[in-house]
Amino acid sequence: MAKMVTDVICPFCGTLCDDLEVSVSDDGTKILDVYNACAIGAEKFLHSQAKDRVTRPRMKQEDGSWKEVTYDEAIEYTAKMLADARKPLMYGWSSTNCEAQAVGTELGEMVGAVMDNTATVCHGSTLIAVQDVGVPSCTLGEILNRADRIVFWGCNPAHAHPRHMSRYSIFPRGFFTGKGAKGRKMVVVDPRVTDTAKTADIHMQVEQGRDFELLTALRVAFKGEWLPDFVGGIPKKTIYEVADVMKSGRFGIIFFGMGVTQSLSKNHNIDQAICVTRDLNEYTKFNIMPMRGHYNVTGSGEVWGWLHGFPYALDLSRGFARYNPGDTTSNDLLMRDEVDSVFVIGSDPGAHFPNSSVKKIWDLPCVCMDPHLTPTTAVCKLHVPVAFVGVETGGCAYRMDNVPIECRKVVDPPEGMPTDLEFLERVVARVKELKGA
Amino acid sequence: MAEYLIKNGFVYDPVLGIKGDKVDVAVKDGKMVETSALSKPAEIDASGMTIMAGAVDIHAHVAGPKVCAGRNFRPEDKLFRATPMAGIKRMEGGFSVPTTLRTGYDYARMGFGFVMEAAMPPLYARHVHEEIRDTPIIDEAALPVFGNNWFVLEYLKNHEIENTAAYIAWLMRMTRGFGVKNVNPGGTEAWGWGLNCPTVNDPVPYFDITPAQIIRGLIEANEYLGLPHCMHVHSNSLGEPGNFTVTLDTLKQAEGIKARNEFGREQVLHHTHLQFHSYGGESYASKSFESKSKEVIDYVNSQDNITIDLGVVTLDETTTMTADGPFEHHLTELNHLKWVNTDVELETAAGVVPYIYSPKTFIAGAQWAIGLELGLYAKDPMRTFITTDHPNAGPFIRYPRVYKWLMSKAAREDMLDNVLKYGNTVRDRCYIGEIDREITLFELAQMTRAGPAKALGLEAMFGSLKPGMEGDVAVYPYNPETSEDPEDIERAFSNAQYLIKGGEVVVKEGQVVSNGNKRTFWVDCKVNENPQVERDIAEKFKRYYSVNQANYEVYAHHYVPNPYVIEVDATQ
């Protein structure tokens, strides 16, 4: 017999599904199976049970080998590294809970750190665009209940947010959307024929890097003005048709992803996409939402927002909060040799940063706090494994629409293993001692 | 705990009826006490200073998703506004939407002890509580919004007061909320389709209920439960020329309803930021727009079951934010500045737009005048509270400036003559030039302490220095006998010499010296079992919410680590 834990929150992507069911062994120590989750989400739960999981901190030795150390030693090393640093980089924060983020921010204030999250290589350009033109948006339940026009622009939820379309955007039947998918028109804009694009009513296969032009063309088309025969490789007839589809809906939404945020024009693409949405509100109700990746990258932006007023690239090194993307963003700091130590929390720059940045991390004192073995743990000096948030400890996480949901603890972490929050709290206490001395 | 004796100051306390007499004030173990109860107190010399109870803010947007959206999308609001960390004090930043840290410190410096977050979207309650948790020193509570909630719309359509009340009690428990907020009733639901309800008689699309029914129904449900605070309304057509008739129609919904509660509250309707709702004319042009403050406040004066707050425009660059979604869209169309909007499933919406109240425009000057007129025409300071609807009409740190304008005709004349570009037009289109009244310090204590505390049902804790009250005392460097310059008012009330909060000194010689021990207030209302409402809730979560019912409740621990729970029994 197994116990069933219900209403479990999936700590993988920004969709933050909260209807998982997890069966655990009677003694509550083992996860047996995961229901309702997508393949990626289920794997996250099951992976925590891996036999070869690292359960103690490891310090890299001179000869490149790893030596197991105690958590006390790990706290001492981390606290000393941060206290001695003139300008440490504390990067990551997207796969941990808001409580850890808040305590981590206090730590950042104490040591004068630059705090940055994964938005820096993801939706950071979105955050800049929002600072330019705002963002008309809504919660995912509004899409479920009202939306009859869905646009996916430069994103592929079929693979990256696997349950998005079934829970919120395309298939479900909501209050005013009793016909489900039949009542919705779906437009996908993507240079590739993705599995998402294959299910679309209209797929605009835009030329790579021509999103800005196409978005601008839509704004022209809303007004019925002249367009050239092709924009971004799309015939004008299609553009007028899509403009008409968008305008004729009762309630619509544009979801967008890294295809527009990190391709040519970056934040200007998003500026333009938001202006498309603003324009559409002259005719009907329209919204726009970034498809946030990590399950709590949104949360880290909110925590820093209320504590210091900036969603990422937060520089506390001068004793007050500063924000200047391009200057206070992780890759720029690393490549300019402006930081003298790196603390990575619940993220993987080793896999996602340019090689030249990763080499800098390799050269610097670096602590990586992460339950997994990742490319980052391979280049750091100290790897601190911690409990999985959302599996072995609870805590608050923010969904892609900024809705906060409390994660659930399903099983205990391995014996003696702290949570991110506990580890950070102990580092804070030790730094206080070191700074006080 | 510590004991304090504050001596030689001029005390103003409307509850005790003290009008500037030199009375010793004693604090022990976190409470106000008789001086005889002290054994070895630390003495604070308040010679030449003014002493009042800690102030109470009945309406400010200081925590939650729209506030945070305002912070994150306005980096310019932080430029040159940062204050470094110092001692126990953490880094501060921001102006019109300050960080939570600055919010707590600024309120403490202004001598406040309690602040009400004015609009909490229920689905985002965790966010509101996380921000409240990270706001130091001040006690806070939050009002969940109900005026566009699908449950409420469906129940009130058939005038099902008992079901509405049961749902309100349930939602307040789920969200750790304090009372019933009602923003643009019906209009925000209409905004789900890009529409609005401009008057109290426009039916809500699909739900087919009028704002008037929602307003009256929520008042009745509020009194059915006997909550500490009354129904708190932001009526339809905020900011529209000619909207005063809608405001009067809204206020009339309270006619004939009596307060029913055990907290000493006597009113059944609080109309917030009345300034935005007292406009005449047909456009914003100076030849059409006019003040209708007198017409609105005359009605308020004639009724005894209504309280109001002012929402005075402070002529700053600020960030507007409200659950009135259609209004923010209207505003962005007007000023073409950036616009954030979030519609919240089944519950509400919110918008955020930066706004510059420029003294060089007629309209900002007229708005400034109307807010002050309301405060100066109001007959009962115990029912009239000073706010700026922070940050909508101006940031809360401008309260002392508003005090100055209310307390000094000379300061108002100076504004009309020297600051406002269209001062004479403002005199012409508004009543401000005709008013000689100057609010006294005693009336100020009513409007910022005793009054709001009573309206929130917290008169047993806040608003007075009476023994047994919370140990919240503010000492301002203002000498009522010698001060003549109105600027002294603004200077003194901007930075208290001392603030004792909950019996602990948090501001000492003008500096923040402690992060305090803040609490979150919420109301736990017991109602009879109601299977229909329980079934409706389960059904709506199953079919229409994007979260499961089991994941909706804000559990205490890290969201509300230091709660103060007010229990209400509505089972009879």
Side-chain angles (χ1 to χ4, degrees), chain A residues 7 18 109 131 135 137 139 141 278 285 398-399 401 406, chain B residues 90 124 130 191 332 338-339 341 343 345 546 548 551 559:
Chain A
D7 304 293
D18 74 332
E109 288 175 43
Q131 288 162 354
V135 56
S137 191
T139 63
R278 284 185 64 125
K285 189 72 193 281
Y398 283 62
R399 204 165 65 185
D401 54 358
E406 171 76 11
Chain B
R90 293 175 65 183
Y124 287 89
E130 282 186 303
W191 176 239
T332 189
K338 52 194 175 185
W339 168 51
N341 179 77
D343 287 2
E345 60 209 57
S546 63
N548 283 5
N551 291 323
Y559 299 103

PDB file of all heavy atoms in Angstrom, chain A residues 7 18 109 131 135 137 139 141 278 285 398-399 401 406, chain B residues 90 124 130 191 332 338-339 341 343 345 546 548 551 559:
ATOM      1  N   ASP A   7      -2.804  17.325  -4.510  1.00  0.00           N
ATOM      2  CA  ASP A   7      -2.659  18.770  -4.698  1.00  0.00           C
ATOM      3  C   ASP A   7      -1.201  19.210  -4.589  1.00  0.00           C
ATOM      4  O   ASP A   7      -0.883  20.237  -3.992  1.00  0.00           O
ATOM      5  CB  ASP A   7      -3.508  19.547  -3.686  1.00  0.00           C
ATOM      6  CG  ASP A   7      -4.961  19.144  -3.741  1.00  0.00           C
ATOM      7  OD1 ASP A   7      -5.601  19.427  -4.757  1.00  0.00           O
ATOM      8  OD2 ASP A   7      -5.441  18.517  -2.773  1.00  0.00           O
ATOM      9  N   ASP A  18      -0.611  22.589 -10.071  1.00  0.00           N
ATOM     10  CA  ASP A  18      -0.772  22.314  -8.641  1.00  0.00           C
ATOM     11  C   ASP A  18      -1.724  21.151  -8.399  1.00  0.00           C
ATOM     12  O   ASP A  18      -2.340  21.064  -7.353  1.00  0.00           O
ATOM     13  CB  ASP A  18      -1.253  23.570  -7.913  1.00  0.00           C
ATOM     14  CG  ASP A  18      -2.705  23.887  -8.188  1.00  0.00           C
ATOM     15  OD1 ASP A  18      -3.198  23.519  -9.272  1.00  0.00           O
ATOM     16  OD2 ASP A  18      -3.362  24.478  -7.313  1.00  0.00           O
ATOM     17  N   GLU A 109      22.825  42.103   0.887  1.00  0.00           N
ATOM     18  CA  GLU A 109      23.012  43.450   1.436  1.00  0.00           C
ATOM     19  C   GLU A 109      24.231  43.491   2.349  1.00  0.00           C
ATOM     20  O   GLU A 109      25.026  44.428   2.307  1.00  0.00           O
ATOM     21  CB  GLU A 109      21.775  43.861   2.253  1.00  0.00           C
ATOM     22  CG  GLU A 109      20.547  44.179   1.423  1.00  0.00           C
ATOM     23  CD  GLU A 109      19.323  44.446   2.308  1.00  0.00           C
ATOM     24  OE1 GLU A 109      19.456  45.147   3.325  1.00  0.00           O
ATOM     25  OE2 GLU A 109      18.242  43.944   1.982  1.00  0.00           O
ATOM     26  N   GLN A 131       9.402  47.937 -18.516  1.00  0.00           N
ATOM     27  CA  GLN A 131       9.772  49.244 -17.967  1.00  0.00           C
ATOM     28  C   GLN A 131       9.587  50.355 -19.006  1.00  0.00           C
ATOM     29  O   GLN A 131       9.429  51.514 -18.645  1.00  0.00           O
ATOM     30  CB  GLN A 131      11.218  49.200 -17.458  1.00  0.00           C
ATOM     31  CG  GLN A 131      11.330  48.369 -16.181  1.00  0.00           C
ATOM     32  CD  GLN A 131      12.734  47.921 -15.863  1.00  0.00           C
ATOM     33  OE1 GLN A 131      13.657  48.122 -16.635  1.00  0.00           O
ATOM     34  NE2 GLN A 131      12.889  47.300 -14.716  1.00  0.00           N
ATOM     35  N   VAL A 135       2.695  46.433 -19.286  1.00  0.00           N
ATOM     36  CA  VAL A 135       2.266  45.121 -19.767  1.00  0.00           C
ATOM     37  C   VAL A 135       0.816  44.853 -19.374  1.00  0.00           C
ATOM     38  O   VAL A 135       0.498  44.728 -18.200  1.00  0.00           O
ATOM     39  CB  VAL A 135       3.214  43.996 -19.273  1.00  0.00           C
ATOM     40  CG1 VAL A 135       3.348  43.976 -17.763  1.00  0.00           C
ATOM     41  CG2 VAL A 135       2.793  42.635 -19.782  1.00  0.00           C
ATOM     42  N   SER A 137      -1.927  42.376 -18.860  1.00  0.00           N
ATOM     43  CA  SER A 137      -1.903  40.913 -18.734  1.00  0.00           C
ATOM     44  C   SER A 137      -3.063  40.436 -17.868  1.00  0.00           C
ATOM     45  O   SER A 137      -3.966  41.197 -17.533  1.00  0.00           O
ATOM     46  CB  SER A 137      -0.557  40.480 -18.152  1.00  0.00           C
ATOM     47  OG  SER A 137      -0.416  39.098 -18.265  1.00  0.00           O
ATOM     48  N   THR A 139      -4.404  36.671 -15.254  1.00  0.00           N
ATOM     49  CA  THR A 139      -3.997  35.375 -14.719  1.00  0.00           C
ATOM     50  C   THR A 139      -4.366  34.279 -15.718  1.00  0.00           C
ATOM     51  O   THR A 139      -5.190  34.480 -16.617  1.00  0.00           O
ATOM     52  CB  THR A 139      -4.690  35.074 -13.378  1.00  0.00           C
ATOM     53  OG1 THR A 139      -6.098  35.002 -13.618  1.00  0.00           O
ATOM     54  CG2 THR A 139      -4.408  36.152 -12.355  1.00  0.00           C
ATOM     55  N   GLY A 141      -6.120  31.712 -15.265  1.00  0.00           N
ATOM     56  CA  GLY A 141      -7.527  31.338 -15.168  1.00  0.00           C
ATOM     57  C   GLY A 141      -8.422  32.209 -16.042  1.00  0.00           C
ATOM     58  O   GLY A 141      -9.481  31.770 -16.509  1.00  0.00           O
ATOM     59  N   ARG A 278      -1.483  46.615 -26.685  1.00  0.00           N
ATOM     60  CA  ARG A 278      -2.135  47.892 -26.335  1.00  0.00           C
ATOM     61  C   ARG A 278      -3.076  48.331 -27.454  1.00  0.00           C
ATOM     62  O   ARG A 278      -4.209  48.731 -27.210  1.00  0.00           O
ATOM     63  CB  ARG A 278      -1.087  48.984 -26.108  1.00  0.00           C
ATOM     64  CG  ARG A 278      -0.359  48.899 -24.797  1.00  0.00           C
ATOM     65  CD  ARG A 278       0.565  50.097 -24.634  1.00  0.00           C
ATOM     66  NE  ARG A 278      -0.196  51.334 -24.575  1.00  0.00           N
ATOM     67  CZ  ARG A 278      -0.125  52.224 -23.591  1.00  0.00           C
ATOM     68  NH1 ARG A 278       0.692  52.022 -22.588  1.00  0.00           N
ATOM     69  NH2 ARG A 278      -0.848  53.320 -23.617  1.00  0.00           N
ATOM     70  N   LYS A 285     -10.530  43.007 -25.979  1.00  0.00           N
ATOM     71  CA  LYS A 285      -9.699  42.829 -24.785  1.00  0.00           C
ATOM     72  C   LYS A 285      -8.541  41.935 -25.145  1.00  0.00           C
ATOM     73  O   LYS A 285      -8.742  40.813 -25.634  1.00  0.00           O
ATOM     74  CB  LYS A 285     -10.548  42.203 -23.663  1.00  0.00           C
ATOM     75  CG  LYS A 285      -9.860  42.179 -22.320  1.00  0.00           C
ATOM     76  CD  LYS A 285      -9.786  43.578 -21.723  1.00  0.00           C
ATOM     77  CE  LYS A 285      -8.830  43.646 -20.545  1.00  0.00           C
ATOM     78  NZ  LYS A 285      -9.377  43.130 -19.317  1.00  0.00           N
ATOM     79  N   TYR A 398       6.215  31.673  -7.477  1.00  0.00           N
ATOM     80  CA  TYR A 398       5.327  32.499  -8.293  1.00  0.00           C
ATOM     81  C   TYR A 398       5.219  31.922  -9.693  1.00  0.00           C
ATOM     82  O   TYR A 398       6.229  31.706 -10.359  1.00  0.00           O
ATOM     83  CB  TYR A 398       5.851  33.941  -8.362  1.00  0.00           C
ATOM     84  CG  TYR A 398       5.574  34.743  -7.113  1.00  0.00           C
ATOM     85  CD1 TYR A 398       6.117  34.352  -5.896  1.00  0.00           C
ATOM     86  CD2 TYR A 398       4.759  35.864  -7.136  1.00  0.00           C
ATOM     87  CE1 TYR A 398       5.861  35.065  -4.741  1.00  0.00           C
ATOM     88  CE2 TYR A 398       4.503  36.589  -5.984  1.00  0.00           C
ATOM     89  CZ  TYR A 398       5.061  36.188  -4.791  1.00  0.00           C
ATOM     90  OH  TYR A 398       4.793  36.910  -3.647  1.00  0.00           O
ATOM     91  N   ARG A 399       3.984  31.706 -10.118  1.00  0.00           N
ATOM     92  CA  ARG A 399       3.708  31.186 -11.447  1.00  0.00           C
ATOM     93  C   ARG A 399       4.013  32.255 -12.499  1.00  0.00           C
ATOM     94  O   ARG A 399       4.211  33.417 -12.172  1.00  0.00           O
ATOM     95  CB  ARG A 399       2.221  30.812 -11.487  1.00  0.00           C
ATOM     96  CG  ARG A 399       1.839  29.789 -12.495  1.00  0.00           C
ATOM     97  CD  ARG A 399       0.455  29.227 -12.196  1.00  0.00           C
ATOM     98  NE  ARG A 399      -0.600  30.243 -12.317  1.00  0.00           N
ATOM     99  CZ  ARG A 399      -1.871  30.020 -12.017  1.00  0.00           C
ATOM    100  NH1 ARG A 399      -2.247  28.820 -11.578  1.00  0.00           N
ATOM    101  NH2 ARG A 399      -2.776  30.955 -12.139  1.00  0.00           N
ATOM    102  N   ASP A 401       2.204  33.944 -14.293  1.00  0.00           N
ATOM    103  CA  ASP A 401       1.299  35.099 -14.214  1.00  0.00           C
ATOM    104  C   ASP A 401       1.401  35.796 -12.860  1.00  0.00           C
ATOM    105  O   ASP A 401       0.502  36.537 -12.476  1.00  0.00           O
ATOM    106  CB  ASP A 401      -0.141  34.668 -14.495  1.00  0.00           C
ATOM    107  CG  ASP A 401      -0.600  33.533 -13.591  1.00  0.00           C
ATOM    108  OD1 ASP A 401       0.221  33.062 -12.773  1.00  0.00           O
ATOM    109  OD2 ASP A 401      -1.755  33.104 -13.686  1.00  0.00           O
ATOM    110  N   GLU A 406       1.920  28.050  -2.712  1.00  0.00           N
ATOM    111  CA  GLU A 406       2.762  27.426  -1.691  1.00  0.00           C
ATOM    112  C   GLU A 406       3.071  25.981  -2.098  1.00  0.00           C
ATOM    113  O   GLU A 406       2.167  25.162  -2.232  1.00  0.00           O
ATOM    114  CB  GLU A 406       2.043  27.463  -0.339  1.00  0.00           C
ATOM    115  CG  GLU A 406       2.688  26.679   0.777  1.00  0.00           C
ATOM    116  CD  GLU A 406       3.919  27.362   1.359  1.00  0.00           C
ATOM    117  OE1 GLU A 406       4.157  28.539   1.048  1.00  0.00           O
ATOM    118  OE2 GLU A 406       4.649  26.694   2.113  1.00  0.00           O
TER     119      GLU A 406
ATOM    120  N   ARG B  90      18.023  48.813   7.154  1.00  0.00           N
ATOM    121  CA  ARG B  90      18.436  48.246   5.865  1.00  0.00           C
ATOM    122  C   ARG B  90      18.322  49.297   4.760  1.00  0.00           C
ATOM    123  O   ARG B  90      17.873  50.404   4.990  1.00  0.00           O
ATOM    124  CB  ARG B  90      17.578  47.013   5.563  1.00  0.00           C
ATOM    125  CG  ARG B  90      17.866  45.872   6.537  1.00  0.00           C
ATOM    126  CD  ARG B  90      16.950  44.691   6.328  1.00  0.00           C
ATOM    127  NE  ARG B  90      17.156  44.046   5.034  1.00  0.00           N
ATOM    128  CZ  ARG B  90      16.414  43.009   4.605  1.00  0.00           C
ATOM    129  NH1 ARG B  90      15.446  42.525   5.369  1.00  0.00           N
ATOM    130  NH2 ARG B  90      16.653  42.473   3.436  1.00  0.00           N
ATOM    131  N   TYR B 124      -3.933  36.615  -4.986  1.00  0.00           N
ATOM    132  CA  TYR B 124      -2.559  37.071  -4.738  1.00  0.00           C
ATOM    133  C   TYR B 124      -2.310  37.370  -3.254  1.00  0.00           C
ATOM    134  O   TYR B 124      -1.374  38.098  -2.915  1.00  0.00           O
ATOM    135  CB  TYR B 124      -2.286  38.340  -5.546  1.00  0.00           C
ATOM    136  CG  TYR B 124      -2.115  38.137  -7.034  1.00  0.00           C
ATOM    137  CD1 TYR B 124      -3.199  38.175  -7.894  1.00  0.00           C
ATOM    138  CD2 TYR B 124      -0.859  37.908  -7.575  1.00  0.00           C
ATOM    139  CE1 TYR B 124      -3.043  38.001  -9.261  1.00  0.00           C
ATOM    140  CE2 TYR B 124      -0.685  37.733  -8.935  1.00  0.00           C
ATOM    141  CZ  TYR B 124      -1.782  37.784  -9.776  1.00  0.00           C
ATOM    142  OH  TYR B 124      -1.610  37.616 -11.126  1.00  0.00           O
ATOM    143  N   GLU B 130       3.445  38.440   2.070  1.00  0.00           N
ATOM    144  CA  GLU B 130       4.917  38.421   2.075  1.00  0.00           C
ATOM    145  C   GLU B 130       5.472  39.837   2.154  1.00  0.00           C
ATOM    146  O   GLU B 130       6.460  40.095   2.841  1.00  0.00           O
ATOM    147  CB  GLU B 130       5.447  37.734   0.802  1.00  0.00           C
ATOM    148  CG  GLU B 130       5.343  36.221   0.875  1.00  0.00           C
ATOM    149  CD  GLU B 130       6.009  35.552  -0.310  1.00  0.00           C
ATOM    150  OE1 GLU B 130       5.635  35.850  -1.453  1.00  0.00           O
ATOM    151  OE2 GLU B 130       6.898  34.731  -0.090  1.00  0.00           O
ATOM    152  N   TRP B 191     -14.751  44.941 -17.208  1.00  0.00           N
ATOM    153  CA  TRP B 191     -13.441  45.171 -17.817  1.00  0.00           C
ATOM    154  C   TRP B 191     -12.842  43.868 -18.374  1.00  0.00           C
ATOM    155  O   TRP B 191     -11.992  43.900 -19.263  1.00  0.00           O
ATOM    156  CB  TRP B 191     -12.506  45.822 -16.797  1.00  0.00           C
ATOM    157  CG  TRP B 191     -11.107  46.016 -17.292  1.00  0.00           C
ATOM    158  CD1 TRP B 191      -9.969  45.502 -16.747  1.00  0.00           C
ATOM    159  CD2 TRP B 191     -10.694  46.768 -18.437  1.00  0.00           C
ATOM    160  NE1 TRP B 191      -8.877  45.891 -17.482  1.00  0.00           N
ATOM    161  CE2 TRP B 191      -9.292  46.670 -18.530  1.00  0.00           C
ATOM    162  CE3 TRP B 191     -11.379  47.521 -19.398  1.00  0.00           C
ATOM    163  CZ2 TRP B 191      -8.558  47.278 -19.532  1.00  0.00           C
ATOM    164  CZ3 TRP B 191     -10.641  48.122 -20.407  1.00  0.00           C
ATOM    165  CH2 TRP B 191      -9.245  47.997 -20.463  1.00  0.00           C
ATOM    166  N   THR B 332      -4.207  55.666 -19.221  1.00  0.00           N
ATOM    167  CA  THR B 332      -3.091  55.504 -20.154  1.00  0.00           C
ATOM    168  C   THR B 332      -3.463  56.067 -21.519  1.00  0.00           C
ATOM    169  O   THR B 332      -2.624  56.583 -22.251  1.00  0.00           O
ATOM    170  CB  THR B 332      -2.618  54.040 -20.239  1.00  0.00           C
ATOM    171  OG1 THR B 332      -1.399  54.009 -20.991  1.00  0.00           O
ATOM    172  CG2 THR B 332      -3.611  53.133 -20.933  1.00  0.00           C
ATOM    173  N   LYS B 338       3.235  54.368 -19.770  1.00  0.00           N
ATOM    174  CA  LYS B 338       3.180  52.900 -19.735  1.00  0.00           C
ATOM    175  C   LYS B 338       2.062  52.387 -18.828  1.00  0.00           C
ATOM    176  O   LYS B 338       1.707  53.024 -17.839  1.00  0.00           O
ATOM    177  CB  LYS B 338       4.534  52.346 -19.314  1.00  0.00           C
ATOM    178  CG  LYS B 338       5.112  52.948 -18.034  1.00  0.00           C
ATOM    179  CD  LYS B 338       6.575  52.579 -17.902  1.00  0.00           C
ATOM    180  CE  LYS B 338       7.225  53.247 -16.707  1.00  0.00           C
ATOM    181  NZ  LYS B 338       8.665  52.994 -16.642  1.00  0.00           N
ATOM    182  N   TRP B 339       1.588  51.212 -19.157  1.00  0.00           N
ATOM    183  CA  TRP B 339       0.361  50.715 -18.526  1.00  0.00           C
ATOM    184  C   TRP B 339       0.515  49.229 -18.191  1.00  0.00           C
ATOM    185  O   TRP B 339       0.776  48.424 -19.072  1.00  0.00           O
ATOM    186  CB  TRP B 339      -0.792  50.916 -19.501  1.00  0.00           C
ATOM    187  CG  TRP B 339      -2.079  50.232 -19.187  1.00  0.00           C
ATOM    188  CD1 TRP B 339      -2.764  50.270 -18.014  1.00  0.00           C
ATOM    189  CD2 TRP B 339      -2.858  49.422 -20.079  1.00  0.00           C
ATOM    190  NE1 TRP B 339      -3.929  49.553 -18.118  1.00  0.00           N
ATOM    191  CE2 TRP B 339      -4.018  49.016 -19.375  1.00  0.00           C
ATOM    192  CE3 TRP B 339      -2.702  49.003 -21.401  1.00  0.00           C
ATOM    193  CZ2 TRP B 339      -5.002  48.201 -19.954  1.00  0.00           C
ATOM    194  CZ3 TRP B 339      -3.681  48.201 -21.965  1.00  0.00           C
ATOM    195  CH2 TRP B 339      -4.815  47.808 -21.248  1.00  0.00           C
ATOM    196  N   ASN B 341      -1.611  46.046 -16.599  1.00  0.00           N
ATOM    197  CA  ASN B 341      -2.955  45.599 -16.220  1.00  0.00           C
ATOM    198  C   ASN B 341      -2.882  44.115 -15.880  1.00  0.00           C
ATOM    199  O   ASN B 341      -2.147  43.368 -16.513  1.00  0.00           O
ATOM    200  CB  ASN B 341      -3.916  45.796 -17.389  1.00  0.00           C
ATOM    201  CG  ASN B 341      -5.312  45.320 -17.062  1.00  0.00           C
ATOM    202  OD1 ASN B 341      -6.052  45.998 -16.360  1.00  0.00           O
ATOM    203  ND2 ASN B 341      -5.681  44.135 -17.549  1.00  0.00           N
ATOM    204  N   ASP B 343      -5.819  41.140 -15.029  1.00  0.00           N
ATOM    205  CA  ASP B 343      -7.151  40.664 -14.681  1.00  0.00           C
ATOM    206  C   ASP B 343      -6.996  39.387 -13.870  1.00  0.00           C
ATOM    207  O   ASP B 343      -6.221  38.509 -14.244  1.00  0.00           O
ATOM    208  CB  ASP B 343      -7.955  40.355 -15.951  1.00  0.00           C
ATOM    209  CG  ASP B 343      -8.377  41.624 -16.673  1.00  0.00           C
ATOM    210  OD1 ASP B 343      -8.008  42.707 -16.212  1.00  0.00           O
ATOM    211  OD2 ASP B 343      -9.072  41.512 -17.699  1.00  0.00           O
ATOM    212  N   GLU B 345      -8.710  36.044 -12.342  1.00  0.00           N
ATOM    213  CA  GLU B 345      -9.835  35.145 -12.587  1.00  0.00           C
ATOM    214  C   GLU B 345     -10.861  35.147 -11.453  1.00  0.00           C
ATOM    215  O   GLU B 345     -10.518  35.061 -10.286  1.00  0.00           O
ATOM    216  CB  GLU B 345      -9.297  33.721 -12.785  1.00  0.00           C
ATOM    217  CG  GLU B 345      -8.536  33.200 -11.559  1.00  0.00           C
ATOM    218  CD  GLU B 345      -7.456  32.198 -11.920  1.00  0.00           C
ATOM    219  OE1 GLU B 345      -6.584  32.554 -12.727  1.00  0.00           O
ATOM    220  OE2 GLU B 345      -7.507  31.073 -11.393  1.00  0.00           O
ATOM    221  N   SER B 546      -7.667  28.425 -11.687  1.00  0.00           N
ATOM    222  CA  SER B 546      -6.466  27.780 -12.196  1.00  0.00           C
ATOM    223  C   SER B 546      -5.602  27.221 -11.062  1.00  0.00           C
ATOM    224  O   SER B 546      -4.513  26.732 -11.295  1.00  0.00           O
ATOM    225  CB  SER B 546      -5.643  28.766 -13.039  1.00  0.00           C
ATOM    226  OG  SER B 546      -5.200  29.837 -12.225  1.00  0.00           O
ATOM    227  N   ASN B 548      -5.947  24.725  -7.366  1.00  0.00           N
ATOM    228  CA  ASN B 548      -6.860  23.853  -6.641  1.00  0.00           C
ATOM    229  C   ASN B 548      -7.290  24.516  -5.330  1.00  0.00           C
ATOM    230  O   ASN B 548      -6.548  25.312  -4.761  1.00  0.00           O
ATOM    231  CB  ASN B 548      -6.170  22.519  -6.319  1.00  0.00           C
ATOM    232  CG  ASN B 548      -6.105  21.620  -7.536  1.00  0.00           C
ATOM    233  OD1 ASN B 548      -6.490  22.015  -8.633  1.00  0.00           O
ATOM    234  ND2 ASN B 548      -5.626  20.405  -7.334  1.00  0.00           N
ATOM    235  N   ASN B 551      -4.970  24.470  -2.473  1.00  0.00           N
ATOM    236  CA  ASN B 551      -3.760  25.311  -2.541  1.00  0.00           C
ATOM    237  C   ASN B 551      -4.074  26.794  -2.471  1.00  0.00           C
ATOM    238  O   ASN B 551      -3.261  27.627  -2.844  1.00  0.00           O
ATOM    239  CB  ASN B 551      -2.990  25.017  -3.833  1.00  0.00           C
ATOM    240  CG  ASN B 551      -2.380  23.641  -3.824  1.00  0.00           C
ATOM    241  OD1 ASN B 551      -1.918  23.184  -2.779  1.00  0.00           O
ATOM    242  ND2 ASN B 551      -2.405  22.964  -4.951  1.00  0.00           N
ATOM    243  N   TYR B 559       3.986  33.346   5.962  1.00  0.00           N
ATOM    244  CA  TYR B 559       3.272  34.494   5.394  1.00  0.00           C
ATOM    245  C   TYR B 559       2.816  35.461   6.479  1.00  0.00           C
ATOM    246  O   TYR B 559       2.881  36.666   6.314  1.00  0.00           O
ATOM    247  CB  TYR B 559       2.072  34.030   4.571  1.00  0.00           C
ATOM    248  CG  TYR B 559       2.469  33.166   3.407  1.00  0.00           C
ATOM    249  CD1 TYR B 559       2.314  31.793   3.449  1.00  0.00           C
ATOM    250  CD2 TYR B 559       3.044  33.734   2.288  1.00  0.00           C
ATOM    251  CE1 TYR B 559       2.705  30.998   2.386  1.00  0.00           C
ATOM    252  CE2 TYR B 559       3.440  32.949   1.221  1.00  0.00           C
ATOM    253  CZ  TYR B 559       3.271  31.580   1.276  1.00  0.00           C
ATOM    254  OH  TYR B 559       3.673  30.805   0.231  1.00  0.00           O
TER     255      TYR B 559
END
